[in-house]
Amino acid sequence: MPTLQEVLHAATDLEPAEAEWLHLLVGDWQLIADLSFADLVLWVPAGMEGWLAVAHVRPTTGQMVFFEDVVGRRTHRGRQSLLDQAYLDRRIVRQKDPIFRDDMPVREEAIPVVRAGRPLAVLTRHTNLAAMRTPSRLELTYQSLADALARMIAAGEFPNVSAPTGQRRGAPRVGDGVIRLDVNGVVSYASPNALSAIHRLGHVGDVIDELLAQVVADLLRDESPVDESLAVVVTGRAPWRTEVSSRGASVSMRAIPLTEGGQRVGALLLLRDVSELRRREQELITKDATIREIHHRVKNNLQTVAALLRLQARRLPAGEAGRVALEEAVRRVGVIALVHETLSQGFDETVNFDDIAVRGLQAITEVAKVEHPITSSVDGSFGMLRAEDATAMAMIMSELVQNAVEHGLAETGGSIRVHAERTSDDSGEELLTVSITDDGAGLPDGFRPGTSGLGTQIVQSLVQDLRGKIVWQAAEPRGTQVRFGARLRPLGRDGA
């Protein structure tokens, strides 16, 4: 199914700004469908082939008309005259008599979508009359607001390109609460959900016929800070969003000024109680901060352990087996500390291992106690890894690079090249293949990984933990290549 942008590009000659106008309308028309209790369909002229349906939305507040998707359909002859009239006359046109769809009476009307005086498309509104009854005041108010927005669309005054969408979750919808303001900002109607949201902020008493700005100001008298956009939102003067917090409750508000002939005649306010949403967000923020602090403290403790081991090593003669063992322990502890340092700077339990690989490789080669220079490089990508995979991977690489430095390049110098490749198998499981190649002396005669020292034993154990395999082999034209694979854990929080 092509996107709206692709359809507009293929079927119309609209300018980019005009196409964006339709995108803005479609991005906000759920509001109109809910207020209208009706399906909305957007039609664009398609030359000799008539009209083409490019978007469709159903109401969440009432019964739908179209159970099937109508996007991509051409209009039939009876509806085409309705669309043509609305488009050419740039006015809202309603069918005189209902039409029947599957024994369901449907009222149809066409609303021209106008920008800068030019009609771009036609919006049709389809109302299921079978569910109609004596309307309540809520339904009458909703339909009145929908009609006002329809007139604004036909006049080129809606949507509003300056309306910010905001970054926080919890945008209010029609079902969450609706308030209608007059031109002076006085509440002429408030839905039951809107009244509940205002009362949860701490307001006691009526809201109808009250100045909403005064109601909110009284609630926030002892609260701080206050969003700078609050004043224009609660008076309905600008199409902005804001949030009000008082007495532990939070309410998201969105204002849509209503205009006639370019003059503001009132406003529609959408309200949503987002108290529970904000509480959960705060819990997540606190949890993430706590996890980062734990990683930071673990890193500090590991560095303290490394410093103590380093002091102990200095008390032993250079080259003695005990000192060498302590120095290796210092390096291994430092590698784990590097992973926790990276985790302390992120917002979840995953790390970008490319940074760790480069830093770890440079740290080992820069402090190598060899007379000849050693260069290093990393290519390919490790990508994002879970914390437990990252720790094992860092230890494996540290041991293998250290072995290459000490045994392969100590006498001659040379280069170490690390290559990483991320793939996935047929089941979608993430696979990581890493090769570490040096151009040094090569493997010694009779080399057996399982009996060659503590370092290779650690490597083999960690590779098994990653459900992978490791192979040591001669490199061409000389040197050693170690190649190992790992099956990575999913990156999701609860993946294991």
Side-chain angles (χ1 to χ4, degrees), residues 328-491:
E328 289 182 352
V330 169
R331 173 179 55 79
R332 289 165 181 151
V333 171
V335 169
I336 300 175
L338 176 60
V339 175
H340 282 280
E341 179 184 7
T342 306
L343 286 167
S344 70
Q345 298 170 357
F347 292 94
D348 53 25
E349 290 294 285
T350 63
V351 295
N352 184 347
F353 197 81
D354 292 329
D355 297 335
I356 295 178
V358 172
R359 292 173 60 186
L361 184 59
Q362 290 177 344
I364 294 174
T365 56
E366 287 175 359
V367 301
K369 298 178 181 179
V370 296
E371 297 179 358
H372 304 281
I374 296 176
T375 60
S376 61
S377 63
V378 178
D379 58 59
S381 177
F382 291 85
M384 301 298 295
L385 303 185
R386 286 273 294 269
E388 50 268 51
D389 288 347
T391 301
M393 188 67 63
M395 289 291 295
I396 294 170
M397 288 191 55
S398 174
E399 295 296 331
L400 294 177
V401 171
Q402 186 70 24
N403 283 344
V405 170
E406 290 183 353
H407 305 295
L409 303 175
E411 301 296 330
T412 61
S415 63
I416 299 175
R417 176 175 173 264
V418 177
H419 176 74
E421 183 177 358
R422 189 83 171 253
T423 59
S424 60
D425 61 13
D426 295 337
S427 64
E429 189 173 22
E430 292 284 332
L431 306 177
L432 179 61
T433 304
V434 181
S435 63
I436 300 177
T437 308
D438 68 73
D439 55 0
L443 294 171
D445 295 335
F447 173 77
R448 295 180 61 188
T451 60
S452 296
L454 178 61
T456 54
Q457 293 177 22
I458 291 174
V459 167
Q460 286 190 309
S461 176
L462 291 174
V463 170
Q464 289 177 0
D465 290 344
L466 293 174
R467 299 175 295 157
K469 295 181 179 180
I470 184 168
V471 176
W472 279 264
Q473 61 188 19
E476 294 294 338
R478 66 191 187 100
T480 303
Q481 182 183 75
V482 185
R483 184 180 180 87
F484 67 93
R487 293 183 175 273
L488 303 177
R489 295 172 176 84
L491 294 181

Side-chain angles (χ1 to χ4, degrees), residues 22-101:
L22 297 184
H23 278 287
L24 289 172
L25 175 62
V26 170
D28 211 16
W29 68 347
Q30 184 68 61
L31 161 72
I32 305 171
D34 290 342
L35 290 172
S36 302
F37 307 101
D39 285 50
L40 301 180
V41 180
L42 183 66
W43 304 85
V44 296
M48 299 298 294
E49 299 181 4
W51 294 82
L52 174 67
V54 296
H56 173 213
V57 66
R58 300 176 178 89
T60 61
T61 53
Q63 295 188 22
M64 67 185 72
V65 171
F66 299 106
F67 292 89
E68 71 284 1
D69 189 10
V70 301
V71 174
R73 293 189 180 183
R74 305 285 176 175
T75 186
H76 55 71
R77 184 179 302 275
R79 185 178 294 136
Q80 181 167 340
S81 61
L82 181 73
L83 300 179
D84 289 340
Q85 186 177 359
Y87 184 82
L88 296 174
D89 295 345
R90 286 183 292 175
R91 65 180 180 87
I92 300 174
V93 181
R94 177 182 292 184
Q95 287 278 25
K96 294 181 179 180
D97 300 312
I99 63 172
F100 283 83
R101 288 183 50 85

Side-chain angles (χ1 to χ4, degrees), residues 134-208:
T134 303
S136 64
R137 187 177 179 195
L138 180 145
E139 293 168 331
L140 290 173
T141 302
Y142 280 16
Q143 291 169 355
S144 173
L145 291 169
D147 291 341
L149 292 174
R151 292 192 296 270
M152 290 171 61
I153 293 173
E157 298 172 359
F158 187 88
N160 194 306
V161 295
S162 64
T165 57
Q167 299 298 317
R168 304 189 74 185
R169 294 186 301 156
R173 301 155 297 189
V174 169
D176 297 319
V178 171
I179 286 180
R180 182 164 190 168
L181 301 179
D182 65 15
V183 69
N184 297 314
V186 175
V187 178
S188 59
Y189 176 80
S191 70
N193 285 344
L195 290 173
S196 297
I198 296 296
H199 289 155
R200 281 180 175 79
L201 290 173
H203 177 72
V204 178
D206 294 332
V207 175
I208 307 298

